[in-house]
Amino acid sequence: MTDLSAPMKPHAMDMHSHSPGVVLRSLIIGLTAFLTVVDLFATQAILPSLTRHYNVTPAAMGFAVNASTMGMALAGLVVGFLSPHIDRRLGILLSLVLLAVPTTLLASAPDLTVFTALRVLQGLCMASAFALTLAYLGEQCSSMDAGGAFAAYITGNVASNLIGRLVSAAVVDALGLASNFYFFALLNLAGAVLVYFTIPRVRSMHTISTTQSPFAATVTHWRSPSLRAAFAIGFCILFAFIGTFTFVNFVLVRAPLSLGRMDLGFVYFVFAPSVITTMFAGKAVARFGTPPVIWAALAVAAVGLPLMLSSHLPHVLIGMVLVGVGTFFAQASATGFVGQAAHDNRGVASGTYLACYFFGGMVGSAVLGQLFDRFDWSACVAGVGASLAIAAWLTTQLKLPTIGETPMMPATTAD
Protein backbone atom coordinates (compact mmCIF):
# COMPACT_ATOMS: atom_id res chain seq x y z
CA MET A 1 0.00 0.00 0.00
CA THR A 2 2.90 2.27 0.47
CA ASP A 3 6.41 2.22 -0.97
CA LEU A 4 6.76 -1.52 -1.26
CA SER A 5 9.12 -1.37 -4.19
CA ALA A 6 11.55 1.34 -3.17
CA PRO A 7 15.13 0.25 -3.79
CA MET A 8 17.07 -0.43 -0.61
CA LYS A 9 19.58 2.18 0.47
CA PRO A 10 23.16 1.09 -0.09
CA HIS A 11 23.95 1.80 3.57
CA ALA A 12 20.93 -0.05 4.93
CA MET A 13 21.55 -2.32 7.84
CA ASP A 14 21.43 -6.09 7.40
CA MET A 15 18.32 -7.25 9.22
CA HIS A 16 19.87 -10.67 9.81
CA SER A 17 21.77 -9.09 12.68
CA HIS A 18 18.44 -8.52 14.46
CA SER A 19 16.75 -11.88 13.91
CA PRO A 20 17.68 -15.47 14.76
CA GLY A 21 16.60 -16.79 11.38
CA VAL A 22 14.81 -15.99 8.17
CA VAL A 23 11.72 -18.08 8.98
CA LEU A 24 11.30 -16.61 12.45
CA ARG A 25 11.90 -13.10 11.15
CA SER A 26 9.29 -13.53 8.42
CA LEU A 27 6.81 -14.87 10.96
CA ILE A 28 7.36 -11.85 13.21
CA ILE A 29 7.00 -9.39 10.32
CA GLY A 30 3.81 -11.08 9.09
CA LEU A 31 2.34 -11.16 12.59
CA THR A 32 3.13 -7.46 13.04
CA ALA A 33 1.25 -6.66 9.83
CA PHE A 34 -1.67 -8.83 10.93
CA LEU A 35 -1.99 -7.12 14.32
CA THR A 36 -1.65 -3.68 12.72
CA VAL A 37 -4.56 -3.86 10.27
CA VAL A 38 -6.73 -6.66 11.69
CA ASP A 39 -9.34 -4.09 12.78
CA LEU A 40 -9.75 -2.65 9.29
CA PHE A 41 -12.06 -5.20 7.69
CA ALA A 42 -12.86 -7.59 10.55
CA THR A 43 -15.94 -5.54 11.46
CA GLN A 44 -17.42 -6.21 8.01
CA ALA A 45 -18.16 -9.79 9.10
CA ILE A 46 -20.57 -8.52 11.76
CA LEU A 47 -22.27 -5.83 9.66
CA PRO A 48 -25.73 -7.42 9.84
CA SER A 49 -25.49 -7.61 13.64
CA LEU A 50 -24.35 -3.99 13.88
CA THR A 51 -27.14 -2.88 11.54
CA ARG A 52 -29.73 -4.45 13.84
CA HIS A 53 -28.02 -3.10 16.96
CA TYR A 54 -28.09 0.52 15.75
CA ASN A 55 -31.35 0.09 13.81
CA VAL A 56 -30.01 1.73 10.63
CA THR A 57 -29.91 0.91 6.93
CA PRO A 58 -27.18 -1.28 5.41
CA ALA A 59 -25.80 1.76 3.56
CA ALA A 60 -25.52 3.82 6.77
CA MET A 61 -23.86 1.00 8.69
CA GLY A 62 -21.56 0.16 5.79
CA PHE A 63 -20.37 3.76 5.60
CA ALA A 64 -19.81 3.89 9.38
CA VAL A 65 -17.79 0.67 9.43
CA ASN A 66 -15.69 1.76 6.46
CA ALA A 67 -15.11 5.26 7.88
CA SER A 68 -11.76 3.87 9.02
CA THR A 69 -10.64 4.32 5.41
CA MET A 70 -11.12 8.09 5.82
CA GLY A 71 -8.68 8.07 8.73
CA MET A 72 -6.26 5.90 6.77
CA ALA A 73 -6.37 8.28 3.81
CA LEU A 74 -5.56 11.26 6.05
CA ALA A 75 -2.81 9.37 7.86
CA GLY A 76 -1.29 8.29 4.55
CA LEU A 77 -0.82 11.92 3.52
CA VAL A 78 0.44 13.09 6.91
CA VAL A 79 2.91 10.24 7.41
CA GLY A 80 4.14 10.62 3.84
CA PHE A 81 4.93 14.29 4.49
CA LEU A 82 6.43 13.86 7.97
CA SER A 83 8.05 10.45 7.54
CA PRO A 84 11.66 11.78 7.46
CA HIS A 85 11.15 13.33 10.91
CA ILE A 86 9.36 10.48 12.70
CA ASP A 87 11.22 7.90 14.78
CA ARG A 88 10.06 4.62 13.26
CA ARG A 89 10.00 2.42 16.35
CA LEU A 90 8.40 5.02 18.64
CA GLY A 91 5.84 5.96 15.99
CA ILE A 92 4.77 2.35 15.46
CA LEU A 93 4.53 1.70 19.20
CA LEU A 94 2.45 4.81 19.89
CA SER A 95 0.18 4.13 16.93
CA LEU A 96 -0.64 0.60 18.12
CA VAL A 97 -1.11 1.59 21.76
CA LEU A 98 -3.38 4.48 20.78
CA LEU A 99 -5.27 2.20 18.39
CA ALA A 100 -6.51 0.21 21.38
CA VAL A 101 -8.32 3.30 22.75
CA PRO A 102 -10.94 3.83 19.99
CA THR A 103 -11.22 0.05 19.59
CA THR A 104 -12.21 -0.26 23.25
CA LEU A 105 -14.61 2.68 23.08
CA LEU A 106 -16.44 1.09 20.12
CA ALA A 107 -17.83 -1.47 22.56
CA SER A 108 -19.95 1.25 24.19
CA ALA A 109 -20.53 3.66 21.29
CA PRO A 110 -24.01 5.08 21.99
CA ASP A 111 -24.98 5.93 18.42
CA LEU A 112 -23.83 5.70 14.83
CA THR A 113 -22.17 9.14 14.84
CA VAL A 114 -19.86 8.20 17.70
CA PHE A 115 -19.23 4.79 16.13
CA THR A 116 -18.23 6.47 12.85
CA ALA A 117 -15.87 8.92 14.58
CA LEU A 118 -14.16 6.10 16.46
CA ARG A 119 -13.66 4.16 13.23
CA VAL A 120 -11.98 7.24 11.71
CA LEU A 121 -9.61 7.36 14.69
CA GLN A 122 -8.86 3.66 14.24
CA GLY A 123 -7.93 4.34 10.64
CA LEU A 124 -5.54 7.14 11.62
CA CYS A 125 -3.69 4.84 14.01
CA MET A 126 -3.65 1.81 11.69
CA ALA A 127 -2.32 3.69 8.68
CA SER A 128 0.37 5.42 10.75
CA ALA A 129 1.67 2.11 12.10
CA PHE A 130 1.39 0.47 8.67
CA ALA A 131 3.28 3.18 6.78
CA LEU A 132 5.99 3.55 9.41
CA THR A 133 6.59 -0.20 9.53
CA LEU A 134 7.05 -0.28 5.75
CA ALA A 135 9.42 2.67 5.98
CA TYR A 136 11.38 0.88 8.69
CA LEU A 137 11.69 -2.29 6.60
CA GLY A 138 12.77 -0.29 3.56
CA GLU A 139 15.54 1.40 5.53
CA GLN A 140 16.78 -1.45 7.70
CA CYS A 141 16.63 -4.51 5.42
CA SER A 142 19.55 -5.29 3.20
CA SER A 143 18.68 -5.56 -0.47
CA MET A 144 19.15 -9.33 -0.22
CA ASP A 145 16.60 -9.64 2.59
CA ALA A 146 14.11 -7.07 1.38
CA GLY A 147 12.04 -9.42 -0.77
CA GLY A 148 11.29 -11.83 2.04
CA ALA A 149 10.59 -9.05 4.53
CA PHE A 150 8.09 -7.21 2.35
CA ALA A 151 6.47 -10.42 1.13
CA ALA A 152 5.96 -11.48 4.75
CA TYR A 153 4.41 -8.11 5.61
CA ILE A 154 1.98 -8.15 2.68
CA THR A 155 1.05 -11.76 3.45
CA GLY A 156 0.20 -10.77 7.03
CA ASN A 157 -1.89 -7.92 5.68
CA VAL A 158 -3.87 -10.19 3.37
CA ALA A 159 -4.23 -12.84 6.10
CA SER A 160 -5.82 -10.25 8.38
CA ASN A 161 -8.70 -10.00 5.92
CA LEU A 162 -9.41 -13.70 6.42
CA ILE A 163 -8.63 -14.35 10.06
CA GLY A 164 -9.90 -11.00 11.35
CA ARG A 165 -13.35 -11.57 9.88
CA LEU A 166 -13.47 -15.15 11.12
CA VAL A 167 -12.43 -14.21 14.65
CA SER A 168 -14.85 -11.29 14.79
CA ALA A 169 -17.79 -13.47 13.77
CA ALA A 170 -16.80 -16.13 16.30
CA VAL A 171 -16.43 -13.70 19.21
CA VAL A 172 -19.73 -11.96 18.50
CA ASP A 173 -21.50 -15.31 18.14
CA ALA A 174 -20.13 -16.54 21.47
CA LEU A 175 -19.79 -13.40 23.61
CA GLY A 176 -21.69 -10.54 21.96
CA LEU A 177 -20.86 -7.29 20.16
CA ALA A 178 -19.12 -5.47 23.01
CA SER A 179 -16.76 -8.36 23.71
CA ASN A 180 -15.68 -8.33 20.08
CA PHE A 181 -14.22 -4.83 20.39
CA TYR A 182 -12.57 -5.56 23.74
CA PHE A 183 -10.92 -8.61 22.18
CA PHE A 184 -9.59 -6.62 19.24
CA ALA A 185 -8.26 -3.94 21.59
CA LEU A 186 -6.20 -6.67 23.25
CA LEU A 187 -4.88 -7.65 19.81
CA ASN A 188 -3.83 -4.03 19.23
CA LEU A 189 -1.88 -4.03 22.50
CA ALA A 190 -0.38 -7.40 21.61
CA GLY A 191 0.92 -5.79 18.43
CA ALA A 192 2.55 -3.02 20.46
CA VAL A 193 4.19 -5.58 22.74
CA LEU A 194 5.47 -7.52 19.73
CA VAL A 195 6.96 -4.37 18.21
CA TYR A 196 8.56 -3.39 21.52
CA PHE A 197 10.45 -6.67 21.78
CA THR A 198 11.23 -7.30 18.09
CA ILE A 199 11.96 -3.91 16.50
CA PRO A 200 15.33 -2.67 17.77
CA ARG A 201 16.31 0.94 18.33
CA VAL A 202 18.33 2.00 15.32
CA ARG A 203 20.17 5.07 14.15
CA SER A 204 17.90 7.62 12.48
CA MET A 205 17.85 7.60 8.70
CA HIS A 206 17.27 11.37 8.47
CA THR A 207 20.47 11.74 6.52
CA ILE A 208 18.70 10.38 3.46
CA SER A 209 18.27 13.54 1.43
CA THR A 210 15.79 14.39 -1.27
CA THR A 211 15.92 17.07 -3.91
CA GLN A 212 12.44 18.52 -3.19
CA SER A 213 10.26 19.50 -0.29
CA PRO A 214 7.30 17.18 0.38
CA PHE A 215 4.87 19.75 -1.08
CA ALA A 216 6.94 20.26 -4.21
CA ALA A 217 7.31 16.50 -4.57
CA THR A 218 3.56 16.06 -4.31
CA VAL A 219 3.01 18.60 -7.09
CA THR A 220 5.61 16.84 -9.23
CA HIS A 221 3.98 13.45 -8.66
CA TRP A 222 0.54 14.73 -9.63
CA ARG A 223 2.00 16.23 -12.83
CA SER A 224 3.12 12.78 -13.92
CA PRO A 225 0.41 11.12 -16.06
CA SER A 226 1.61 7.67 -15.02
CA LEU A 227 1.52 8.43 -11.30
CA ARG A 228 -1.87 10.14 -11.59
CA ALA A 229 -3.17 7.01 -13.27
CA ALA A 230 -1.64 4.78 -10.57
CA PHE A 231 -3.26 6.88 -7.82
CA ALA A 232 -6.62 6.63 -9.58
CA ILE A 233 -6.22 2.87 -10.06
CA GLY A 234 -5.67 2.52 -6.31
CA PHE A 235 -8.87 4.51 -5.76
CA CYS A 236 -10.82 2.20 -8.09
CA ILE A 237 -9.42 -1.00 -6.59
CA LEU A 238 -10.54 -0.32 -3.03
CA PHE A 239 -13.80 1.19 -4.33
CA ALA A 240 -14.51 -2.21 -5.91
CA PHE A 241 -13.19 -4.25 -2.98
CA ILE A 242 -15.20 -2.35 -0.38
CA GLY A 243 -18.35 -2.50 -2.48
CA THR A 244 -18.04 -6.24 -2.86
CA PHE A 245 -17.06 -7.36 0.61
CA THR A 246 -19.18 -4.90 2.57
CA PHE A 247 -22.58 -5.42 1.00
CA VAL A 248 -22.26 -9.08 0.08
CA ASN A 249 -22.65 -9.73 3.82
CA PHE A 250 -26.28 -8.63 3.65
CA VAL A 251 -26.87 -10.91 0.66
CA LEU A 252 -25.35 -13.88 2.46
CA VAL A 253 -27.58 -13.58 5.55
CA ARG A 254 -30.89 -13.10 3.74
CA ALA A 255 -32.92 -15.63 1.76
CA PRO A 256 -32.20 -17.73 -0.20
CA LEU A 257 -28.67 -18.11 1.24
CA SER A 258 -29.68 -17.38 4.87
CA LEU A 259 -26.30 -17.89 6.55
CA GLY A 260 -25.90 -17.57 10.32
CA ARG A 261 -23.30 -15.36 12.04
CA MET A 262 -20.69 -18.10 12.42
CA ASP A 263 -21.32 -19.38 8.90
CA LEU A 264 -20.73 -15.83 7.67
CA GLY A 265 -17.35 -15.83 9.37
CA PHE A 266 -16.31 -19.10 7.73
CA VAL A 267 -17.26 -17.65 4.35
CA TYR A 268 -14.16 -15.47 4.53
CA PHE A 269 -11.91 -18.41 3.92
CA VAL A 270 -12.44 -17.11 0.38
CA PHE A 271 -9.39 -14.92 1.10
CA ALA A 272 -7.12 -17.93 1.61
CA PRO A 273 -6.14 -18.17 -2.09
CA SER A 274 -5.28 -14.45 -2.09
CA VAL A 275 -2.75 -15.00 0.69
CA ILE A 276 -0.83 -17.26 -1.70
CA THR A 277 -1.39 -15.60 -5.06
CA THR A 278 -0.53 -12.05 -3.98
CA MET A 279 3.05 -13.08 -3.25
CA PHE A 280 3.55 -13.90 -6.94
CA ALA A 281 2.58 -10.43 -8.19
CA GLY A 282 6.20 -9.30 -8.39
CA LYS A 283 7.27 -12.29 -10.46
CA ALA A 284 4.36 -11.75 -12.81
CA VAL A 285 5.17 -8.06 -13.27
CA ALA A 286 8.86 -8.84 -13.83
CA ARG A 287 7.97 -11.27 -16.59
CA PHE A 288 4.99 -9.61 -18.32
CA GLY A 289 5.09 -5.95 -17.26
CA THR A 290 2.75 -3.96 -15.04
CA PRO A 291 -0.13 -3.15 -17.45
CA PRO A 292 -0.73 -6.74 -18.66
CA VAL A 293 -0.63 -8.06 -15.10
CA ILE A 294 -3.12 -5.47 -13.82
CA TRP A 295 -5.41 -6.11 -16.80
CA ALA A 296 -5.33 -9.84 -16.13
CA ALA A 297 -5.98 -9.31 -12.41
CA LEU A 298 -8.91 -6.99 -13.08
CA ALA A 299 -10.31 -9.50 -15.59
CA VAL A 300 -10.18 -12.23 -12.94
CA ALA A 301 -12.10 -9.99 -10.55
CA ALA A 302 -14.64 -9.09 -13.24
CA VAL A 303 -15.33 -12.77 -13.99
CA GLY A 304 -16.29 -13.21 -10.34
CA LEU A 305 -18.95 -10.49 -10.35
CA PRO A 306 -21.78 -12.29 -12.20
CA LEU A 307 -21.20 -15.38 -10.07
CA MET A 308 -22.05 -13.37 -6.97
CA LEU A 309 -25.52 -12.68 -8.36
CA SER A 310 -26.32 -16.38 -8.16
CA SER A 311 -28.76 -17.83 -5.63
CA HIS A 312 -26.41 -20.80 -5.10
CA LEU A 313 -23.81 -20.41 -2.35
CA PRO A 314 -20.94 -22.25 -4.16
CA HIS A 315 -21.23 -19.84 -7.10
CA VAL A 316 -21.22 -16.82 -4.79
CA LEU A 317 -18.18 -18.12 -2.93
CA ILE A 318 -16.26 -18.73 -6.17
CA GLY A 319 -17.13 -15.21 -7.25
CA MET A 320 -15.80 -13.83 -3.96
CA VAL A 321 -12.57 -15.79 -4.36
CA LEU A 322 -12.03 -14.37 -7.84
CA VAL A 323 -12.74 -10.78 -6.78
CA GLY A 324 -10.38 -11.15 -3.81
CA VAL A 325 -7.56 -12.69 -5.86
CA GLY A 326 -7.95 -10.14 -8.66
CA THR A 327 -8.13 -7.00 -6.53
CA PHE A 328 -5.26 -7.98 -4.22
CA PHE A 329 -3.08 -8.92 -7.20
CA ALA A 330 -3.87 -5.64 -8.97
CA GLN A 331 -3.18 -3.74 -5.75
CA ALA A 332 0.24 -5.32 -5.28
CA SER A 333 1.15 -4.56 -8.90
CA ALA A 334 -0.04 -0.95 -8.78
CA THR A 335 1.77 -0.35 -5.50
CA GLY A 336 5.01 -1.63 -6.99
CA PHE A 337 4.57 0.66 -9.98
CA VAL A 338 4.34 3.74 -7.75
CA GLY A 339 7.69 2.87 -6.21
CA GLN A 340 9.21 2.55 -9.67
CA ALA A 341 7.70 5.65 -11.22
CA ALA A 342 8.56 8.00 -8.33
CA HIS A 343 12.29 8.66 -8.64
CA ASP A 344 12.46 10.96 -5.63
CA ASN A 345 10.44 11.33 -2.43
CA ARG A 346 9.03 7.83 -2.66
CA GLY A 347 7.57 8.20 0.82
CA VAL A 348 5.45 11.12 -0.38
CA ALA A 349 4.38 9.20 -3.49
CA SER A 350 3.47 6.19 -1.37
CA GLY A 351 1.53 8.34 1.08
CA THR A 352 -0.39 9.93 -1.79
CA TYR A 353 -1.18 6.52 -3.24
CA LEU A 354 -2.27 5.28 0.18
CA ALA A 355 -4.55 8.31 0.59
CA CYS A 356 -6.15 7.79 -2.82
CA TYR A 357 -6.54 4.07 -2.19
CA PHE A 358 -8.38 4.49 1.08
CA PHE A 359 -10.36 7.48 -0.16
CA GLY A 360 -11.64 5.14 -2.86
CA GLY A 361 -12.82 2.79 -0.13
CA MET A 362 -14.69 5.57 1.62
CA VAL A 363 -16.36 6.74 -1.58
CA GLY A 364 -17.13 3.16 -2.55
CA SER A 365 -18.91 2.46 0.72
CA ALA A 366 -21.02 5.62 0.30
CA VAL A 367 -21.88 5.34 -3.40
CA LEU A 368 -22.34 1.59 -3.58
CA GLY A 369 -24.25 1.63 -0.30
CA GLN A 370 -26.80 3.94 -1.88
CA LEU A 371 -27.04 1.69 -4.92
CA PHE A 372 -27.57 -1.29 -2.63
CA ASP A 373 -30.28 0.43 -0.59
CA ARG A 374 -32.13 1.90 -3.56
CA PHE A 375 -31.70 -0.73 -6.27
CA ASP A 376 -30.41 -3.85 -4.44
CA TRP A 377 -27.38 -6.08 -4.92
CA SER A 378 -27.35 -6.28 -8.73
CA ALA A 379 -26.90 -2.49 -8.99
CA CYS A 380 -24.09 -2.63 -6.43
CA VAL A 381 -22.33 -5.32 -8.47
CA ALA A 382 -22.75 -3.20 -11.61
CA GLY A 383 -21.08 -0.30 -9.81
CA VAL A 384 -18.18 -2.56 -8.85
CA GLY A 385 -17.87 -3.65 -12.48
CA ALA A 386 -17.78 -0.03 -13.64
CA SER A 387 -14.95 0.69 -11.20
CA LEU A 388 -12.94 -2.27 -12.50
CA ALA A 389 -13.50 -1.11 -16.08
CA ILE A 390 -12.26 2.41 -15.26
CA ALA A 391 -9.19 0.93 -13.59
CA ALA A 392 -8.49 -1.14 -16.71
CA TRP A 393 -8.69 1.97 -18.88
CA LEU A 394 -6.40 3.90 -16.53
CA THR A 395 -3.84 1.10 -16.76
CA THR A 396 -3.14 2.16 -20.35
CA GLN A 397 -1.49 5.28 -18.87
CA LEU A 398 1.10 3.36 -16.86
CA LYS A 399 4.41 3.99 -18.54
CA LEU A 400 7.75 4.02 -16.77
CA PRO A 401 10.26 6.70 -17.78
CA THR A 402 13.57 5.46 -19.09
CA ILE A 403 16.11 5.45 -16.31
CA GLY A 404 19.56 4.06 -15.84
CA GLU A 405 18.77 1.58 -13.10
CA THR A 406 16.33 -1.29 -12.87
CA PRO A 407 13.90 -0.76 -9.99
CA MET A 408 13.02 -3.55 -7.66
CA MET A 409 9.71 -5.33 -8.12
CA PRO A 410 7.13 -6.24 -5.51
CA ALA A 411 7.01 -9.76 -4.05
CA THR A 412 10.26 -10.81 -5.73
CA THR A 413 12.43 -8.05 -4.30
CA ALA A 414 10.29 -5.66 -2.30
CA ASP A 415 6.66 -6.71 -2.17
Side-chain angles (χ1 to χ4, degrees):
M1 288 180 189
T2 56
D3 192 4
L4 303 185
S5 60
M8 299 298 102
K9 287 49 174 190
H11 53 279
M13 299 168 60
D14 190 340
M15 201 161 177
H16 278 309
S17 62
H18 301 306
S19 59
V22 174
V23 175
L24 179 59
R25 182 199 64 191
S26 297
L27 177 62
I28 290 172
I29 292 172
L31 186 57
T32 300
F34 173 86
L35 294 171
T36 298
V37 295
V38 69
D39 298 271
L40 182 57
F41 294 120
T43 313
Q44 288 184 346
I46 58 172
L47 264 172
S49 298
L50 287 168
T51 301
R52 291 191 295 270
H53 177 75
Y54 287 104
N55 193 27
V56 294
T57 65
M61 197 68 243
F63 181 81
V65 164
N66 293 314
S68 54
T69 58
M70 184 188 306
M72 296 196 82
L74 293 173
L77 288 176
V78 172
V79 173
F81 269 68
L82 300 181
S83 178
H85 311 291
I86 300 175
D87 180 271
R88 306 298 189 230
R89 182 176 185 272
L90 180 60
I92 297 166
L93 276 172
L94 287 178
S95 296
L96 291 174
V97 170
L98 291 175
L99 175 58
V101 176
T103 305
T104 300
L105 294 175
L106 280 168
S108 56
D111 54 48
L112 197 63
T113 301
V114 175
F115 185 98
T116 303
L118 291 172
R119 286 291 286 173
V120 172
L121 291 176
Q122 278 190 308
L124 286 168
C125 296
M126 281 186 283
S128 298
F130 189 88
L132 289 172
T133 302
L134 289 173
Y136 176 89
L137 293 176
E139 293 165 354
Q140 303 305 324
C141 289
S142 68
S143 57
M144 181 179 297
D145 292 337
F150 280 104
Y153 199 78
I154 293 302
T155 301
N157 177 23
V158 177
S160 71
N161 281 270
L162 162 61
I163 301 174
R165 286 175 166 94
L166 181 61
V167 169
S168 184
V171 173
V172 170
D173 193 55
L175 303 174
L177 278 172
S179 297
N180 170 75
F181 296 111
Y182 293 138
F183 180 81
F184 276 84
L186 291 176
L187 290 181
N188 302 151
L189 294 175
V193 171
L194 180 67
V195 168
Y196 181 83
F197 286 106
T198 59
I199 291 186
R201 294 182 178 88
V202 295
R203 181 172 56 85
S204 172
M205 304 296 287
H206 295 175
T207 55
I208 300 173
S209 61
T210 57
T211 59
Q212 296 176 303
S213 69
F215 179 78
T218 300
V219 173
T220 300
H221 293 152
W222 278 104
R223 285 176 176 171
S224 165
S226 291
L227 281 174
R228 282 202 309 269
F231 298 156
I233 289 169
F235 177 99
C236 291
I237 289 172
L238 197 60
F239 184 103
F241 182 88
I242 287 283
T244 301
F245 292 102
T246 295
F247 299 105
V248 73
N249 292 283
F250 297 101
V251 176
L252 292 169
V253 298
R254 71 187 185 188
L257 300 177
S258 304
L259 297 184
R261 263 197 308 249
M262 199 59 234
D263 293 330
L264 188 61
F266 282 117
V267 159
Y268 285 98
F269 274 107
V270 295
F271 287 119
S274 300
V275 175
I276 299 171
T277 58
T278 302
M279 296 187 69
F280 293 96
K283 291 182 178 179
V285 170
R287 181 169 183 178
F288 302 107
T290 299
V293 169
I294 293 181
W295 283 325
L298 295 174
V300 169
V303 169
L305 295 182
L307 293 174
M308 291 194 300
L309 296 174
S310 173
S311 58
H312 300 287
L313 182 60
H315 295 167
V316 176
L317 296 180
I318 293 171
M320 293 173 70
V321 168
L322 293 176
V323 173
V325 167
T327 52
F328 276 122
F329 211 88
Q331 161 66 356
S333 303
T335 303
F337 179 86
V338 172
Q340 292 177 297
H343 293 161
D344 197 12
N345 279 288
R346 285 186 171 91
V348 176
S350 297
T352 304
Y353 178 84
L354 183 68
C356 293
Y357 178 76
F358 284 111
F359 185 63
M362 182 181 69
V363 175
S365 65
V367 172
L368 297 175
Q370 290 301 313
L371 289 177
F372 184 84
D373 274 359
R374 295 170 184 268
F375 305 106
D376 208 18
W377 177 231
S378 57
C380 184
V381 170
V384 171
S387 179
L388 296 177
I390 293 171
W393 174 75
L394 289 166
T395 302
T396 62
Q397 308 299 312
L398 300 184
K399 296 179 177 63
L400 286 174
T402 303
I403 55 178
E405 61 179 4
T406 303
M408 302 175 75
M409 298 303 303
T412 53
T413 54
D415 192 4

